[in-house]
Amino acid sequence: MKIIHSPRHLGHSGHVELMNGRVVPAFEKPERVAMILKAIGERNLGPLVDPAAHGLDPILKVHDADYIHFLAQAWELWTQDGRDFPALPSFWRAPGMRYVEPENIDGKLGHFSFDAGCCIVAGTWDAVQAGADIALTGVDLVAGGEASAFALCRPPGHHAHQATMGGYCFVNNAAVAAQAFRDRGAARVAVLDVDYHHGNGTQAIFYDRSDVLVCTIHADPLQEFPYFLGFADETGAGEGEGFNANYPLRWGTDYSGWSAALDDACARIEACGADVVIVSLGVDTYKDDPISQFRLDSPDYLKIGLRIAKLAKPTLFVMEGGYAVEAIGINVANVLEGFEQG
Amino acid sequence: MKIIHSPRHLGHSGHVELMNGRVVPAFEKPERVAMILKAIGERNLGPLVDPAAHGLDPILKVHDADYIHFLAQAWELWTQDGRDFPALPSFWRAPGMRYVEPENIDGKLGHFSFDAGCCIVAGTWDAVQAGADIALTGVDLVAGGEASAFALCRPPGHHAHQATMGGYCFVNNAAVAAQAFRDRGAARVAVLDVDYHHGNGTQAIFYDRSDVLVCTIHADPLQEFPYFLGFADETGAGEGEGFNANYPLRWGTDYSGWSAALDDACARIEACGADVVIVSLGVDTYKDDPISQFRLDSPDYLKIGLRIAKLAKPTLFVMEGGYAVEAIGINVANVLEGFEQG
Ligand SMILES: [Zn+2]
Ligand SMILES: [Zn+2]
């Protein structure tokens, strides 16, 4: 399986997040990719390939132009008054407040975000663009006939809405890829989000569409970030009714409980007749993940790969979360290896 | 003029806020009240009187019960896992997310707040209750025949919505007071908010009501917190249409520009036939305020007091913002002295 990677993710480093009442180094850090590359090398997975530039057009098909313009300008605006440290938003909207873009950068940060954990530094926008190119190059490979590919995106993307960053995510790489598959002729695309956290951005982007099925297996939003989306009764709207499936699971869920949701999601994907599957691959379901509360163990990730392979569809893996740095490489490589064995 | 004060505000101390990408000691601090008391003493304003306990019922008339229950429990929930440091929310809602109260305290903090500056410490809830009692005791005095009173509330209140804290505000003291005046027989109450920041909470609470006119003079939300409310076209809804008046003014506004808005607001208050006026008294319009961008000078606050006195209505002053600690006492005392001279 070809693995698309770029060192440009390294520009998104030194960033911070507000967690537990304190500003701390972000759990989402460059070492995550280093550990994945190490495991891939050890298992002889790959080869690694470079992304091709795709420009902004495919991004603008799923994100608002104002938002992308903001992301492209944010660091310059933040630093033009002499600030040389990471940018975080610090306020947002109460229910009933209005959706108007403020004039200054502090206001814009609040306008376009939904947490104080999505931090912008000098290299963020370049890394984000590289991430989208990685996903789009994965689409090129799979649409061009490869059975599968792994887009090693960083930062992740599944929390990013049409015009809102959050949860370490800026551009929704999986959503950009899903749209690109549609534009290259796939009649229906399925997104299977196995990250510990709800894929709120992907859900939101495709919520009223029947051409992209979104299935996401995640911690119950009553207990876990992103908290305010990801409930079981969110099944799509309008044309999209029936094309969104959420599997919220309680803290402490192990593979037996988790895999039942996976089986159900896979059955939906088969039933909808998707031409291609995008896997939003987070491995923060791991038992020792520092910010998560599921109990999957490393061998379980082999089984996940095997189960997804049984769908027997062209498959693009897109990297999302996973913060147990010591284990992230093993767990990701296990998914890929399980898939190749399947 | 009687000045209602309680030392219980001192319990709300040691709190922090996320500002400019960093967690810093909050600009809203106990010294603010100390400086006001000092200036009041030097000018022989007063006497100081203690608040009487009024319980939660008058608060629950303008705030949601779930929210008040949260405020009362928040510190206990935050600390029960061993945390002994100030509580801050760190995430919120993207547009389209749902309004569901999470189970755990980290989720509840995000659910009930609109910034990462409204910080809860051990003594916050006691101080907040004392602040509401201070405002309600002011209502008792004015409804009982006093021409005026000054409710020296801290923390402030005007940013707090029915179920959302923010901008250093937890319970909306001015709104609680306005409702209490109504319940004591006033047919119509006018709230005149002269704080630098928009009185978004007060506006939201009374937006569809004609019995409480809300006039607020503040920095343009395109430039300034709370950013997403306070525009000139927000004039009330339904029965409340015409009973909300916003005066957004650009950064750098001095007294000549500011006082034109005050004159217009006073004309509205006269026209609506209010029985009583509540002044949400913030002095962060001051030229040297550390977080604000207007250019009022200390003598201007005398003129504000004089102008409000010309309304010749029973008047309750309720303390809101003002963060230039060295000048806050002078500026507040000037308003009160101007009013008494008027
Ligand atoms: Zn995740
Ligand atoms: Zn203020």
Side-chain angles (χ1 to χ4, degrees):
Chain A
M1 181 186 317
K2 285 182 179 157
I3 295 168
I4 313 103
H5 162 67
S6 163
R8 287 165 59 194
H9 80 91
L10 292 167
H12 187 55
S13 65
H15 50 304
V16 297
E17 64 180 299
L18 180 66
M19 177 170 279
N20 204 14
R22 293 158 169 174
V23 172
V24 296
F27 282 89
E28 196 293 299
K29 53 192 171 186
E31 290 78 3
R32 298 174 58 241
V33 167
M35 294 301 280
I36 294 168
L37 290 174
K38 179 164 172 280
I40 283 167
E42 289 168 358
R43 309 267 191 108
N44 288 315
L45 294 163
L48 289 177
V49 303
D50 291 325
H54 288 72
L56 293 182
D57 286 352
I59 297 174
L60 291 168
K61 288 190 171 173
V62 298
H63 288 289
D64 289 0
D66 288 350
Y67 172 62
I68 297 304
H69 183 71
F70 156 76
L71 288 179
Q73 304 264 319
W75 182 249
E76 186 186 333
L77 293 174
W78 175 259
T79 55
Q80 72 185 7
D81 298 329
R83 295 186 276 201
D84 60 357
F85 46 86
L88 281 182
S90 53
F91 45 78
W92 45 94
R93 288 182 181 79
M97 283 188 173
R98 295 173 71 182
Y99 192 77
V100 179
E101 183 178 345
E103 292 176 5
N104 60 40
I105 181 61
D106 297 82
K108 289 179 197 291
L109 280 164
H111 178 68
F112 287 120
S113 70
F114 74 91
D115 71 10
C118 218
C119 179
I120 289 176
V121 295
T124 300
W125 175 234
D126 186 65
V128 167
Q129 288 179 281
D133 281 334
I134 287 169
L136 288 162
T137 303
V139 173
D140 293 340
L141 292 171
V142 174
E146 301 268 347
S148 62
F150 175 36
L152 183 39
C153 300
R154 182 184 167 270
H158 73 142
H159 291 304
H161 285 228
Q162 291 92 331
T164 322
M165 62 189 195
Y168 309 134
C169 300
F170 302 86
V171 161
N172 193 316
N173 303 305
V176 169
Q179 182 62 48
F181 275 122
R182 285 284 292 118
D183 293 338
R184 296 185 63 143
R188 181 165 283 148
V189 179
V191 178
L192 172 63
D193 190 323
V194 299
D195 188 277
Y196 171 75
H197 301 93
H198 179 238
N200 56 292
T202 316
Q203 168 174 315
I205 288 169
F206 297 114
Y207 203 63
D208 59 359
R209 288 170 55 169
S210 61
D211 57 337
V212 180
L213 170 71
V214 176
C215 299
T216 148
I217 306 167
H218 51 270
D220 189 336
L222 286 174
Q223 295 182 297
E224 193 55 84
F225 182 89
Y227 288 102
F228 309 115
L229 213 62
F231 298 92
D233 63 351
E234 295 156 12
T235 56
E239 287 242 332
E241 179 60 51
F243 291 90
N244 192 82
N246 283 329
Y247 300 89
L249 303 171
R250 300 293 288 180
W251 279 5
T253 295
D254 62 12
Y255 191 69
S256 70
W258 194 91
S259 62
L262 178 63
D263 286 337
D264 196 272
C266 286
R268 279 178 186 269
I269 289 168
E270 280 161 350
C272 86
D275 303 305
V276 60
V277 176
I278 295 170
V279 179
S280 266
L281 178 57
V283 292
D284 39 9
T285 46
Y286 180 58
K287 63 182 171 60
D288 292 330
D289 193 274
I291 60 173
S292 307
Q293 308 286 343
F294 281 175
R295 294 189 183 154
L296 273 61
D297 206 349
S298 291
D300 296 327
Y301 294 96
L302 276 164
K303 299 179 209 162
I304 295 173
L306 279 164
R307 181 65 191 87
I308 294 169
K310 277 195 196 147
L311 291 169
K313 293 183 188 284
T315 301
L316 175 63
F317 293 90
V318 175
M319 191 64 207
E320 303 286 1
Y323 308 100
V325 173
E326 291 306 311
I328 189 174
I330 294 163
N331 294 342
V332 167
N334 278 359
V335 172
L336 303 182
E337 210 165 80
F339 182 86
E340 303 230 75
Q341 290 167 5
Chain B
M1 182 186 316
K2 285 181 178 155
I3 295 168
I4 312 104
H5 163 67
S6 163
R8 286 165 60 194
H9 79 91
L10 293 167
H12 187 55
S13 66
H15 50 303
V16 297
E17 65 181 298
L18 180 65
M19 176 170 280
N20 204 14
R22 293 159 169 174
V23 172
V24 296
F27 281 90
E28 196 294 298
K29 53 191 171 186
E31 291 78 3
R32 298 173 59 243
V33 167
M35 295 300 281
I36 294 168
L37 289 174
K38 179 165 173 278
I40 283 168
E42 288 169 358
R43 308 265 192 111
N44 289 314
L45 294 164
L48 290 177
V49 302
D50 290 326
H54 288 72
L56 292 183
D57 286 351
I59 297 174
L60 291 167
K61 288 190 171 174
V62 299
H63 288 288
D64 289 0
D66 288 350
Y67 172 62
I68 297 303
H69 183 71
F70 156 76
L71 288 179
Q73 303 265 319
W75 182 249
E76 187 187 333
L77 294 174
W78 175 257
T79 55
Q80 70 185 8
D81 298 328
R83 295 186 276 201
D84 60 356
F85 46 87
L88 281 182
S90 52
F91 46 79
W92 44 95
R93 287 183 182 78
M97 282 188 174
R98 295 173 71 182
Y99 191 79
V100 179
E101 182 178 345
E103 292 175 6
N104 60 40
I105 181 61
D106 298 82
K108 289 178 197 292
L109 280 164
H111 178 68
F112 287 121
S113 70
F114 73 91
D115 70 10
C118 218
C119 179
I120 290 176
V121 295
T124 300
W125 175 235
D126 186 65
V128 167
Q129 288 179 282
D133 280 334
I134 287 169
L136 287 161
T137 303
V139 173
D140 293 340
L141 293 171
V142 173
E146 301 269 346
S148 63
F150 175 36
L152 183 40
C153 300
R154 180 184 168 272
H158 73 143
H159 292 304
H161 286 228
Q162 292 92 330
T164 323
M165 63 188 195
Y168 310 134
C169 300
F170 302 86
V171 161
N172 193 317
N173 304 304
V176 169
Q179 181 62 47
F181 275 124
R182 285 283 292 118
D183 293 337
R184 295 187 64 145
R188 182 164 284 148
V189 180
V191 178
L192 173 62
D193 190 325
V194 299
D195 188 277
Y196 171 75
H197 302 93
H198 178 238
N200 56 292
T202 316
Q203 167 174 315
I205 288 168
F206 297 115
Y207 202 63
D208 58 0
R209 289 171 53 169
S210 60
D211 57 337
V212 180
L213 170 70
V214 176
C215 299
T216 149
I217 307 168
H218 51 270
D220 188 336
L222 286 174
Q223 294 183 299
E224 193 56 84
F225 182 89
Y227 287 103
F228 308 115
L229 214 61
F231 296 93
D233 62 352
E234 295 155 13
T235 56
E239 286 242 333
E241 179 60 51
F243 291 90
N244 192 84
N246 283 329
Y247 300 89
L249 303 171
R250 299 293 288 180
W251 279 5
T253 294
D254 62 11
Y255 192 69
S256 70
W258 193 90
S259 62
L262 178 62
D263 287 337
D264 196 272
C266 286
R268 278 177 187 270
I269 290 167
E270 280 160 352
C272 86
D275 303 305
V276 60
V277 176
I278 295 170
V279 180
S280 266
L281 179 56
V283 293
D284 39 8
T285 46
Y286 180 58
K287 63 183 172 60
D288 293 330
D289 192 275
I291 60 172
S292 307
Q293 308 286 342
F294 281 176
R295 295 189 183 154
L296 273 61
D297 206 348
S298 291
D300 296 327
Y301 294 97
L302 277 165
K303 298 178 208 161
I304 295 173
L306 279 165
R307 181 66 191 85
I308 294 169
K310 276 195 197 148
L311 290 169
K313 293 183 188 286
T315 302
L316 174 62
F317 292 90
V318 175
M319 192 64 207
E320 303 286 0
Y323 307 100
V325 172
E326 291 306 310
I328 188 174
I330 295 162
N331 294 342
V332 167
N334 278 358
V335 172
L336 303 181
E337 210 165 81
F339 181 86
E340 303 230 75
Q341 290 166 7

